[in-house]
Each structure stands twice: as structure tokens, then as C-alpha cells.
Amino acid sequence: MSDPKKPKRRDFLFTASYAIGAVGVGAAVWPLVDQMNPDSSVKALASTEVDVSSVEVGKSITVLWRGKPVFIKRRTEEEIAEARAVKLDDLKHPEKDEDRAKNPEWLVMVGVCTHLGCVPLGDKGDYNGWFCPCHGSHYDTSGRIRKGPAPQNMEIPKYEFINNNTIKIG
Amino acid sequence: MSDHSYVPSSKLGKWFNDRLPLLSLSAHLREYPTPKNLNYWWTFGGILTFCLIAQIVTGIVLAMHYVAQADLAFASVEHIMRDVYYGWLIRYIHANGSSMFFLAVYIHIFRSLYYGSHKSPREVIWIIGMIIYFLMMMTAFTGYVLPWGQMSFWAATVITSLFSAVPLIGESLTNWLWGGFAVDSPTLTRFYALHYLFPFLILGLVILHIWALHIPGNNNPVGIDVKQPSKDTVPFHPYIVIKDLFALLVFLTLFAFFVFYSPNLLGHPDNYIEANPLVTPTHIVPEWYLLPFYAILRSIPDKLLGVVAMFASIFVLVILPWLDTSKIRSAVFRPLYRQFYWILVADVLVLGYMGALPPEGLYLLITRVATAYYFIHFLIILPILGSKEKTMPLPLSISEPVLNGPSDIAKDNKTNTE
């Protein structure tokens, strides 16, 4: 009681108890939060193999990977040339087409608009690529955002050619 | 208030009431002094209570037949419509009930804005009301996902993707919400759990809303304080109860029209197509009651800022009691505010209409102007009006305008504000 500002042993006990209590509550809450994350069975479906032998030049197929559509497009010479001719300065999210399509004939990308997750429509829009009907984002023949509210290019998933006819996504 | 003096007449009643004063509570609710000049815009509190109870009752019954699993959900809704006795009726009441609920809540909110019910000393009632409104939107959204049609699926995708705008943690946050890498069965199941939870949170908040209301008592169309109880008030029962019931019957006529004559008018035909993650419907539109916010979201060409603007448009309502600085509550005595009020109503209707149209060309321009005006109204016009507006003299009591007309009464506003 003599000096109200000087911390007392009781203050130390209070602080220590609150700290331990907070850690305990945190440890109890974490499982309740973490259970909402993608579970093991969802993660187990992480890769898928696709036979692309029947895809003709200029056509594309859509496959489902981890619940999302993936566009596999066999591009024409003009489409490749158009994608490669774009200057990086003109892009909202600058990425070279060479980096997006290792094998220039094949463009493999997650067919989800980076704005709010709709599936864009193929061979549409001002840049001959994709157009998202939900909120009007235009993508070019490399799947790069050119106009509209989407902030980024459509995502390129991890994939590899197992042989000439088969792509493994994921 | 008067209920403190309440003594039950029977011995058993007195015994019980001494242990748990439910009878005192009931007496308080019956005698609760209510301003005698309340108009029909004040009946929507009762109508909303009815809507909440109707949604909970029909919802619990639907839950007995619905299956919250992606492969079965769509079929289980059709099972309710075709096989379950009166399933069609119960589901149509529940689906149209949400629209009727929002119709009533919008009238209720705009009533508050017109008569200044959000102002001191009723700020807490208002804020609780806004939390209820926000929870209603969450409940409606999670409920809309459950039938697992195309609109359900894509509404869920678009709205949950809003969280991907959060810097740094956006993607892991959306995956956490989904329980996967896209909207799928885990998303549906958790939305169902939340859809069942939220109405009970709303119910609890409604009790707090009414409790907070019963501290200062009702505002009224004149917007001045009334002495309670006095000749300015009438007991809640039977006067207000009967009036509320009559208004509810009129409201139910409209409700029944939708349920029996055009149960799908407010819905969207695409939702009778089962969810397909590979195809987005060409034109995604939320339910009508969310359109103004959807328009605000789309009006801004930047993803993060669009999401921020949408949430800000709701948050600005929460802090309204401190933005609307005028001491005069009722728009009846605020000639300028009255005009701006109707411009705001028109603005919100325009936003709603634009939210249903594709975001391009002239529509986009109109949406942007309307969005800007929405924020200007709350953040600039209201604070300026509070200090600059020349208000009309307030009557001394709510009886005076009836007896003498509003013009020849006291000029001193101060007497009515403390």
C-alpha cells in the first residue's frame, strides 16, 4: 500500500496467470480453427493425368483438378505469335509467354478468373483469349489479364509432360 | 418503470414470480408505454419478429429432410419439393420468407433514417440492429448455397473469393473457408452448420435489440421525447398489439401472393440446374436484397478496393449516429435532410437496379456515380447538414401538432433535447 506504482508480487502472479491462461485458450482454440483447412482426403487428390492426344490445334479441353477447372489449350501459330509479341510494359501483371508456356503449343492454366473465381469463356474478349462473364475481365492468348477488375494472370499450375500425349497436373 | 410494482394476484404466481420474475416481464411487455402517435411504419418490428420465427420454424422442418452433401444436396431439395408432404409449401415459405424478411428490414431501416431513430439515446439499439442486418445477410447467403444449384455454387465461389483480396494471407484464408481448393462438399457442409447457427444468434440479438429499446422507449414520428407513462403514451397491449397484428395481416397477404402465385419470381431459373464447377452461368446475380452492395463491389476496377468499398458501405451505417450530427431527430422538422433522404432512397434503388445489369458502358458509369453519392451522403452531406441546416421549430409535446398544427408552437429546440 505504500507505493502504488511499484509492482508487487501479486501483480506478477496476475500477469503470469493471464499469460498462461492466454496460451491455454489459444491451444484449445487452434484445433477448432485448423479443422476447417483442406483435409487429408482433399489433399490426397492433388494430381491428375490427362490424355491430350485428341486435342486438335486451336482447340482446348477443360479438366477438373482439385475441384477447379484447368484449361489445356493447343494454340495455333498466330495465337502464339500474338502472345509473344506483347510488350511487358502493356501488362498489368507482367509475365513472359515463354515462362507461362514452356512448350509454346500447349497452354495449361487454372481456368479460374483471378477476380472472384468465375470460369472465363474461351475464344472471347478483346484479346482473342478468354473473357470472364461475371465482372468483365479480358485475358489474352497467354491467359494474361489485359482489361477488367482481375488483378493477376490466370494461374499456371505445376504440370509436366509424362510423354507426348499425357500431361500430369499437380 | 411500472413493472417493478407488479404483484401477481394468485399465490402460486407470487411464489413463482419471487423466484423467477417472468410474470413481471410479461406485465412490463403488456404495460410498456408506447407513444400514441406511432404510424404504420412502426409496425415492422413486429412483422420482422414474425419473419424470424417463421424462418426458424420452416427451417428446422426443412433440415429434417435436407442432406448437406454435394452429391445429394440438389436431389434432396427436389425430394422435399416432390415427395415430402407439404414440402413444396414449407420450402416456398422459407425461400420467399427470406425476401419478405429483407423487404421488411429495409423498410424498418429506412424508417429509422427518416425519423432519426438511430440518434441519441438510441445508438446502441441501432448498432445491434446493424449487426442483426449483417448476420441476416450472412444467413441468407449461406442459405442460398444449400440447394446446390448453379447460382448457389457460383454465388458461393464469388463471395468467398472476396476474401482472396486480403493481402498476403488471401489464398490460404479462402482455402480455409472452403476446406479445399475450390467450393466443394466441405464448403456446403460448413455453410449448412452456419446457416443453422446464425438465426439463433439473430434471435439473441433481437432480444438485446428490444431490451435496449425498452430503456429509452420508442422514438416517434415527431421525434421528441415523451414522458413515460403520460397522456402521450398508450400501453403496448392491446393498442399496439392490435395495430401490429393488422399490419402483419396485410404483409402476409403479399407474402402469400408470392408463395402461392409466383414462388419462383424472386429466384433464378439457373438454380434449378445442378452445380457444375466447370461452367459459370453467363450472368451471375445475387438475390435482389444484396444487389446494391454487389453494385458497389463491381463499380470499382480494383479487386481489393472493391471489396473494401462494399464492406465500408455497411460500416458507414454502423457509425451513422455520429455522422448524422443534427440534434433534431425527425425529418419532419428538417426540410433539407428530408430532400437528401429521398435522394438517398433513390440512389440505393438505382444501385440495386444497376447491380442486376451487366457492368459495362453507361451502366458502369451510373453505378460509379451512385456509389460515390452513397458515401458522399453519409460522410459529407450529413455532418454538414448537422451544423448548417435551419430546422423548423419543434412542438412541445406529441399532442400539440394534433391539437394546434405544428406551425404555432415553441421555437426553442433546446427544451426538447437534453
Side-chain angles (χ1 to χ4, degrees), chain B residues 74-90:
Chain B
F74 188 81
S76 77
V77 171
E78 284 309 302
H79 161 73
I80 289 170
M81 295 300 289
R82 291 152 197 262
D83 304 338
V84 175
Y85 294 126
Y86 295 106
W88 59 272
L89 176 66
I90 296 162

Side-chain angles (χ1 to χ4, degrees), chain A residues 32-39 42-43 46 62-71 92 112 114-121 131 133-136 148-151 155, chain B residues 153-154 157-159 161-164 171-172 175-184 186 190 277-284 294 297-298 300-303 307 359-360:
Chain A
L32 299 175
V33 173
D34 194 38
Q35 54 82 26
M36 278 177 69
N37 272 313
D39 62 32
V42 170
K43 283 183 182 159
T62 306
V63 296
L64 204 59
W65 172 65
R66 301 206 304 194
K68 289 179 185 176
V70 171
F71 295 154
K92 192 174 180 181
V112 171
T114 55
H115 182 227
L116 293 174
C118 297
V119 178
L121 305 169
F131 171 72
C134 291
H135 307 102
E155 186 193 340
Chain B
F153 183 90
W154 291 102
T157 299
V158 168
I159 300 300
S161 294
L162 292 178
F163 292 92
S164 68
E171 197 185 334
S172 29
N175 285 348
W176 178 77
L177 281 172
W178 291 335
F181 302 102
V183 171
D184 210 332
R190 66 190 53 184
L278 294 179
V279 181
T280 306
T282 46
H283 191 44
I284 299 191
Y294 193 62
L297 167 76
R298 296 195 306 184
I300 294 174
D302 181 89
K303 181 174 168 180
V307 174
E360 48 198 29

Side-chain angles (χ1 to χ4, degrees), chain B residues 253-410:
Chain B
T253 310
L254 180 68
F255 198 148
F257 169 79
F258 279 111
V259 169
F260 292 107
Y261 291 94
S262 55
N264 290 305
L265 183 71
L266 300 169
H268 203 286
D270 276 14
N271 221 25
Y272 283 102
I273 304 169
E274 191 169 3
N276 179 358
L278 294 179
V279 181
T280 306
T282 46
H283 191 44
I284 299 191
V285 201
E287 293 279 77
W288 67 267
Y289 40 79
L290 301 176
L291 285 173
F293 299 105
Y294 193 62
I296 290 174
L297 167 76
R298 296 195 306 184
S299 70
I300 294 174
D302 181 89
K303 181 174 168 180
L304 180 60
L305 289 180
V307 174
V308 167
M310 190 182 74
F311 283 105
S313 65
I314 301 169
F315 182 71
V316 81
L317 290 172
V318 176
I319 58 169
L320 175 65
W322 294 275
L323 295 173
D324 187 357
T325 50
S326 175
K327 293 267 184 286
I328 309 300
R329 295 196 191 103
S330 175
V332 172
F333 303 100
R334 299 182 62 189
L336 282 175
Y337 174 74
R338 199 160 62 223
Q339 292 172 30
F340 284 113
Y341 171 87
W342 288 112
I343 296 174
L344 178 73
V345 172
D347 186 63
V348 171
L349 290 175
V350 166
L351 277 174
Y353 190 64
M354 289 298 145
L357 295 171
E360 48 198 29
L362 183 62
Y363 300 146
L364 191 56
L365 182 70
I366 294 173
T367 312
R368 285 183 178 157
V369 172
T371 300
Y373 183 79
Y374 180 90
F375 286 104
I376 289 170
H377 174 88
F378 288 107
L379 296 174
I380 298 174
I381 294 175
L382 286 187
I384 291 176
L385 278 188
S387 57
K388 297 271 185 258
E389 185 179 22
K390 197 170 178 316
T391 55
M392 290 153 71
L394 290 174
L396 280 172
S397 83
I398 61 175
S399 303
E400 291 203 51
V402 183
L403 300 175
N404 307 326
S407 52
D408 54 359
I409 321 163

Side-chain angles (χ1 to χ4, degrees), chain B residues 17-268:
Chain B
N17 203 50
D18 285 345
R19 282 149 184 81
L20 180 65
L22 282 184
L23 295 172
S24 290
L25 177 65
S26 156
H28 162 76
L29 293 177
R30 271 178 277 128
E31 293 160 15
Y32 171 64
T34 317
K36 63 183 177 186
N37 59 341
L38 296 190
N39 56 33
Y40 271 101
W41 299 114
W42 259 265
T43 58
F44 283 86
I47 288 170
L48 283 161
T49 311
F50 171 85
C51 287
L52 177 62
I53 293 168
Q55 289 302 85
I56 288 178
V57 169
T58 52
I60 289 172
V61 176
L62 288 170
M64 295 177 184
H65 305 279
Y66 171 76
V67 185
Q69 207 274 343
D71 298 329
L72 305 171
F74 188 81
S76 77
V77 171
E78 284 309 302
H79 161 73
I80 289 170
M81 295 300 289
R82 291 152 197 262
D83 304 338
V84 175
Y85 294 126
Y86 295 106
W88 59 272
L89 176 66
I90 296 162
R91 176 165 175 262
Y92 277 153
I93 291 175
H94 195 73
N96 286 283
S98 72
S99 281
M100 302 313 291
F101 204 159
F102 274 95
L103 174 65
V105 93
Y106 281 126
I107 295 172
H108 194 62
I109 290 171
F110 275 103
R111 195 275 338 251
S112 285
L113 293 179
Y114 190 83
Y115 294 111
S117 301
H118 52 281
K119 293 188 189 191
S120 172
R122 296 182 181 83
E123 302 95 322
V124 173
I125 311 173
W126 171 260
I127 290 170
I128 293 172
M130 282 299 121
I131 299 171
I132 293 172
Y133 173 51
F134 188 73
L135 274 175
M136 279 176 64
M137 291 196 274
M138 298 285 286
T139 313
F141 163 63
T142 50
Y144 192 55
V145 173
L146 301 185
W148 210 239
Q150 273 289 66
M151 278 292 159
S152 298
F153 183 90
W154 291 102
T157 299
V158 168
I159 300 300
T160 50
S161 294
L162 292 178
F163 292 92
S164 68
V166 177
L168 301 176
I169 58 161
E171 197 185 334
S172 29
L173 185 64
T174 37
N175 285 348
W176 178 77
L177 281 172
W178 291 335
F181 302 102
V183 171
D184 210 332
S185 204
T187 324
L188 173 63
T189 313
R190 66 190 53 184
F191 275 24
Y192 179 57
L194 294 174
H195 185 68
Y196 210 121
L197 166 71
F198 290 151
F200 294 97
L201 295 183
I202 293 174
L203 183 63
L205 285 166
V206 165
I207 291 170
L208 292 184
H209 192 64
I210 296 171
W211 186 1
L213 168 70
H214 281 225
I215 303 299
N218 286 75
N219 186 27
N220 63 77
V222 180
I224 62 173
D225 294 324
V226 290
K227 290 195 184 70
Q228 305 174 331
S230 70
K231 287 196 167 165
D232 285 346
T233 66
V234 291
F236 187 76
H237 183 75
Y239 296 94
I240 304 297
V241 170
I242 291 300
K243 187 171 178 174
D244 278 2
L245 279 177
F246 177 70
L248 178 61
L249 282 177
V250 175
F251 184 79
L252 284 178
T253 310
L254 180 68
F255 198 148
F257 169 79
F258 279 111
V259 169
F260 292 107
Y261 291 94
S262 55
N264 290 305
L265 183 71
L266 300 169
H268 203 286

